[in-house]
Amino acid sequence: MRQVELAVIGGGSAGMAAALGAVENGVKDVLILERSFEYGGILEQCIHNGFGLHTFKEELSGPAYAERYHELLEEYPEISFQYESAVLKISEDNVLTVTGRNGYEEIKAKAIVLATGCRERSAGAIGLRGDRVQGVYTAGTAQQYLNKEGYLVGKRVFILGSGDIGLIMARRMTLEGAKVVGVAELMPYSNGLARNIKQCLEDFDIPLYLSHTVKAVHGKGRLESISLIAVDENRQEIPGSEEIIPVDCLLLSVGLIPENELIENMGIEMDKRTRGAVIDSTYMTSKEGIFACGNALHVHDLVDYVSEEGKRCGKAAAEYILNGKKEGERTKSVLHKGISYMVPQSFYKGSDIDFMFRVTGIYKKAKIHVYGEGLDKRIPQISLVPSEMVKIHMKKEDLDKLQGELHWEVEE
Ligand SMILES: Cc1cc2nc3c(=O)[nH]c(=O)nc-3n(C[C@H](O)[C@H](O)[C@H](O)COP(=O)(O)OP(=O)(O)OC[C@H]3O[C@@H](n4cnc5c(N)ncnc54)[C@H](O)[C@@H]3O)c2cc1C
């Protein structure tokens, strides 16, 4: 059976960064298994600008960011890519079952990094009501059709959900000649980055209907119209507020779900909030030797954070391969008011740690209160919104003072 030191599943930004982090820290043999025929993952269909401001100090398109990152990997002959190779299964003793370019094969790895990304919630997942019609797509599928295959999937378009992919597609379809008649958002605030609201909707006079949803889709064969309806503060539809809007295309931008089928049936502990694996500060899951990073771990807003996290994960996998599992007691994070999730969920003291999380509401001039026995810190934030991931860097000296659990809350 073929043997490698580190197998990375997924060749998107997280997988590439994990491979880089691993070889920079002494791993001699890294194999990236990618089911597509190219590296880059989701970046390859994101032809808009806005990638890499932190990593390369430049505003790049998605494919340009992927190419630039891939050049960093080319410096290392220790890293190899195997394309058109989907991992189907991981066994108890870290043997990967792979199918694709080399037929069916088994590969044994000392450590595995899961960097499988995420997928979009579909019409079925949100229980979209109405006729069974053509013309309803997830925003990412429409993006792939347009940016990679050259097909515009509709001429008169409505978008449900104000996540970043939906916002980007509102602009993209407008630029390609479609009429985007509106974007509806169930919540009273947008779920996209503020810059995308400005640049993708306001600059093109596309209306954003906050506290609204699509009640149903109508048509015979092809989508002909949608019913837009307002919702109250409990997200319940308000009778009588319904409006029929003629469209031939509805794009759904209603959330992303980490792709974790590979580990869900392995008994690995999962986090109900992130829908990714529970990890410690070495990015190791509850199964020894299996690590996770990127959108497979928790959905990120910026690629720079994915790359940073991937590198930290690769470094930690290298330390595991070279020195074995980290010894010592782990400390848990306990979440209170305003914090929706926290990654890592537990940590080892003795080093600086980047904690990443999202908040549950909109806060202006709030503080992140981090406390426990021996530690009490308030970190001011100009603004906090659920759509933007927050990263707090905690110093070793502070964490080492802590006795017991670490508590987190938003203080207004
Ligand atoms: C539409 C959109 C717009 C964005 N816009 C911006 C922006 O403007 N600026 C910014 O900074 N960030 C942006 N982001 C965020 C950022 O680009 C992504 O979060 C990041 O690229 C995700 O990287 P990833 O490696 O975790 O996942 P992915 O890129 O999804 O990579 C996962 C890879 O794993 C492979 N894979 C999955 N399962 C298997 C398997 N079983 N076997 C083998 N391979 C497998 C997939 O084929 C894929 O290549 C955007 C994201 C999206 C979706």
Side-chain angles (χ1 to χ4, degrees):
M1 189 189 302
R2 190 165 155 205
Q3 313 247 348
V4 294
E5 282 196 306
L6 179 64
V8 177
I9 311 175
S13 40
M16 288 200 285
L20 192 60
V23 293
E24 281 177 350
N25 288 281
V27 178
K28 296 276 173 268
D29 179 19
V30 179
L31 175 66
I32 304 179
L33 293 155
E34 169 54 56
R35 69 181 167 197
S36 158
F37 61 90
E38 61 188 348
Y39 60 81
I42 195 76
L43 291 172
E44 289 304 312
Q45 66 185 64
C46 300
I47 63 169
H48 56 280
N49 270 9
F51 296 84
L53 276 171
H54 299 245
T55 311
F56 297 112
K57 311 281 177 272
E58 263 182 75
E59 229 189 310
L60 301 167
S61 69
Y65 184 94
E67 193 177 337
R68 194 70 79 77
Y69 213 92
H70 186 256
E71 282 168 11
L72 302 176
L73 270 62
E74 283 175 331
E75 306 280 313
Y76 292 93
E78 298 93 327
I79 301 175
S80 56
F81 264 94
Q82 185 174 315
Y83 295 109
E84 294 170 302
S85 297
V87 177
L88 300 179
K89 204 175 124 199
I90 307 172
S91 76
E92 267 305 301
D93 54 349
N94 287 359
V95 174
L96 304 175
T97 305
V98 184
T99 183
R101 180 174 279 193
N102 298 347
Y104 178 91
E105 63 181 323
E106 291 193 324
I107 300 171
K108 177 145 176 71
K110 280 192 194 150
I112 295 167
V113 171
L114 279 160
T116 45
C118 62
R119 61 162 179 267
E120 295 173 285
R121 291 177 78 206
S122 62
I126 59 164
L128 188 67
R129 289 164 286 172
D131 300 319
R132 282 174 70 90
V133 285
Q134 286 173 24
V136 180
Y137 301 87
T138 63
T141 303
Q143 186 180 50
Q144 190 173 353
Y145 272 126
L146 184 55
N147 294 349
K148 293 183 88 178
E149 321 285 340
Y151 294 108
L152 190 62
V153 294
K155 293 201 175 106
R156 204 176 148 79
V157 184
F158 197 86
I159 299 177
L160 175 58
S162 63
D164 287 311
I165 316 179
L167 300 179
I168 298 279
M169 283 311 288
R171 176 177 63 186
R172 184 79 186 102
M173 295 204 58
T174 306
L175 290 173
E176 288 299 329
K179 170 78 186 158
V180 178
V181 293
V183 176
E185 169 56 57
L186 188 67
M187 305 302 285
Y189 50 83
S190 163
N191 270 312
L193 295 170
R195 71 174 193 210
N196 283 339
I197 298 284
K198 177 84 193 78
Q199 293 169 6
C200 301
L201 298 188
E202 290 172 16
D203 287 1
F204 293 90
D205 293 327
I206 298 170
L208 172 61
Y209 299 90
L210 295 174
S211 299
H212 277 76
T213 190
V214 171
K215 186 179 175 192
V217 292
H218 316 285
K220 287 196 182 81
R222 177 82 198 187
L223 181 65
E224 289 161 17
S225 63
I226 56 141
S227 323
L228 179 70
I229 192 163
V231 298
D232 62 20
E233 59 280 11
N234 300 316
R235 291 184 247 160
Q236 297 303 308
E237 292 171 1
I238 302 171
S241 65
E242 207 169 323
E243 187 187 338
I244 300 285
I245 301 183
V247 286
D248 65 3
C249 177
L250 173 68
L251 299 188
L252 305 174
S253 179
V254 287
L256 299 165
I257 304 171
E259 195 158 324
N260 277 310
E261 279 71 15
L262 275 176
I263 55 165
E264 271 165 5
N265 53 9
M266 288 180 72
I268 287 181
E269 193 186 348
M270 305 297 287
D271 186 322
K272 284 198 188 76
R273 287 171 285 207
T274 59
R275 310 273 301 260
V278 171
I279 55 151
D280 62 36
S281 48
T282 71
Y283 290 86
M284 197 190 277
T285 65
S286 61
K287 167 90 171 65
E288 185 171 333
I290 300 190
F291 298 78
C293 60
N295 280 353
L297 179 63
H298 60 127
V299 174
H300 293 64
D301 46 2
L302 294 179
V303 72
D304 304 272
Y305 286 155
V306 174
S307 297
E308 284 171 20
E309 183 180 281
K311 270 189 100 174
R312 288 194 297 270
C313 175
K315 180 174 185 238
E319 279 160 9
Y320 170 73
I321 289 168
L322 302 174
N323 307 318
K325 189 171 187 307
K326 196 171 173 81
E327 300 288 330
E329 206 183 310
R330 276 183 291 154
T331 304
K332 278 200 166 166
S333 278
V334 184
L335 312 185
H336 301 282
K337 185 179 158 260
I339 311 280
S340 111
Y341 73 78
M342 181 68 60
V343 171
Q345 288 84 352
S346 69
F347 60 93
Y348 295 95
K349 288 187 249 176
S351 62
D352 288 12
I353 296 175
D354 283 312
F355 289 91
M356 286 156 299
F357 59 94
R358 287 186 192 246
V359 293
T360 54
I362 295 183
Y363 302 93
K364 295 264 174 249
K365 293 195 178 144
K367 293 190 182 82
I368 302 293
H369 187 198
V370 195
Y371 60 98
E373 208 185 316
L375 171 67
D376 193 8
K377 268 183 135 22
R378 286 182 171 80
I379 303 152
Q381 305 286 313
I382 297 165
S383 111
L384 292 165
V385 287
S387 57
E388 291 182 18
M389 204 180 83
V390 189
K391 187 175 84 170
I392 300 276
H393 183 81
M394 292 290 290
K395 292 234 166 274
K396 170 188 179 308
E397 305 81 81
D398 288 325
L399 293 172
D400 285 350
K401 286 184 214 148
L402 180 74
Q403 301 292 318
E405 294 167 329
L406 184 61
H407 296 261
W408 296 84
E409 69 184 2
V410 179
E411 221 175 59
E412 285 180 87

